[in-house]
Amino acid sequence: MKKHYIKRRHHLHKGLCLFGLMGLALLLTGCGKTGEKTSIVLEPLHYKMDALKPYISDQTMRVHYGKHYAGYVDKANQFLKGGGFEGKTADEIIVLTAGKKEYTAIFNNVAQAWNHAFFFTCLKPDGGTVGGELADRIIKSFGSIETFKQEFLKAANSRFGSGWTWLVLDGEELKIVTTANADTPIAHGLRPVFTVDVWEHAYYLDYQNRRADFVENVLNHLADWDFVSSRLTSAK
Ligand code: MN
């Protein structure tokens, strides 16, 4: 997974190519920076819409990925236009706008775009089992893999209303936290390692009010534990 979800588009660079050496000289002096734009990108799914069945239906995926997530990406880009965040990464924008009333719309949409890109990357068909260093670290923090899953499930169930359940690194320590609405561990200096979306739109078509069944199925069948492990390694 990419570190963030921003593409920097160097429109000015392209234009300058027409001017050959003059353009090159300008680039070398750093003028290209003035052409930087920030855009939040809709991350492609690395599996098919129906690949997560029977635990998540393609109907849910089409709405969740294609409408909710895509909607946050579109709105984030609308709100970012001319907002002074040019050249910033999504992570940086989240930190800069968190808790600031005047930036609520930007924070909500950029954070939701980040959260969803991360959530969909955390999933794959036949997610596998928790192993290697991840297993050791989970056992060290929670006692056993089973206890970790139970505590994650308990946290997901106790999140009132819309939000997210996370496994995060707080420094070197693994912790389970929940966030409300668009809030994200990035805003609190924590490193996301794994997440499950517990907004109703994530499970209602398939599970109605049975959030626990949804989260349990994600943990046992869809969580991509190799990807989760990679989040530990890249943190070092
Ligand atoms: Mn969602």
Side-chain angles (χ1 to χ4, degrees), residues 104-123:
T104 301
I106 290 179
F107 176 82
N108 282 342
N109 288 285
V110 174
Q112 279 295 75
W114 197 103
N115 294 345
H116 280 88
F118 188 69
F119 171 62
F120 290 121
T121 307
C122 281
L123 307 180

Side-chain angles (χ1 to χ4, degrees), residues 116-206:
H116 280 88
F118 188 69
F119 171 62
F120 290 121
T121 307
C122 281
L123 307 180
K124 73 170 183 189
D126 301 320
T129 52
V130 184
E133 190 199 337
L134 178 65
D136 296 342
R137 304 255 315 249
I138 284 179
I139 290 165
K140 199 177 154 204
S141 293
F142 303 99
S144 70
I145 306 291
E146 202 40 52
T147 311
F148 155 69
K149 286 184 178 177
Q150 282 167 13
E151 285 188 22
F152 193 93
L153 201 55
K154 204 165 78 184
N157 287 334
S158 64
R159 172 79 262 164
F160 186 78
S162 296
W164 299 81
T165 310
W166 305 84
L167 179 65
V168 297
L169 274 174
D170 182 0
E172 282 300 301
E173 201 185 336
L174 280 176
K175 287 181 181 170
I176 293 167
V177 299
T178 68
T179 57
N181 302 316
D183 198 13
T184 177
I186 309 260
H188 306 279
L190 303 167
R191 177 180 172 78
V193 174
F194 170 68
T195 194
V196 179
D197 185 344
V198 294
W199 283 59
E200 279 188 345
H201 67 227
Y203 58 87
Y204 210 84
L205 288 173
D206 300 327

Side-chain angles (χ1 to χ4, degrees), residues 43-62:
E43 290 291 317
L45 278 180
H46 58 279
Y47 40 80
K48 291 191 171 147
M49 288 281 182
D50 63 356
L52 305 181
K53 280 165 49 174
Y55 308 110
I56 299 177
S57 67
D58 45 335
Q59 190 191 9
T60 290
M61 286 302 295
R62 276 197 299 273

Side-chain angles (χ1 to χ4, degrees), residues 7-73:
K7 269 190 189 159
R8 291 171 186 197
R9 291 186 183 154
H10 299 265
H11 294 300
L12 187 58
H13 290 195
K14 281 182 192 162
L16 288 174
C17 287
L18 298 170
F19 296 96
L21 286 175
M22 190 182 84
L24 183 64
L26 282 170
L27 281 175
L28 290 173
T29 57
C31 291
K33 286 221 169 229
T34 57
E36 277 187 1
K37 283 188 180 176
T38 290
S39 63
I40 304 296
V41 174
L42 185 75
E43 290 291 317
L45 278 180
H46 58 279
Y47 40 80
K48 291 191 171 147
M49 288 281 182
D50 63 356
L52 305 181
K53 280 165 49 174
Y55 308 110
I56 299 177
S57 67
D58 45 335
Q59 190 191 9
T60 290
M61 286 302 295
R62 276 197 299 273
V63 176
H64 197 186
Y65 177 88
K67 304 286 182 195
H68 289 280
Y69 171 37
Y72 292 124
V73 170

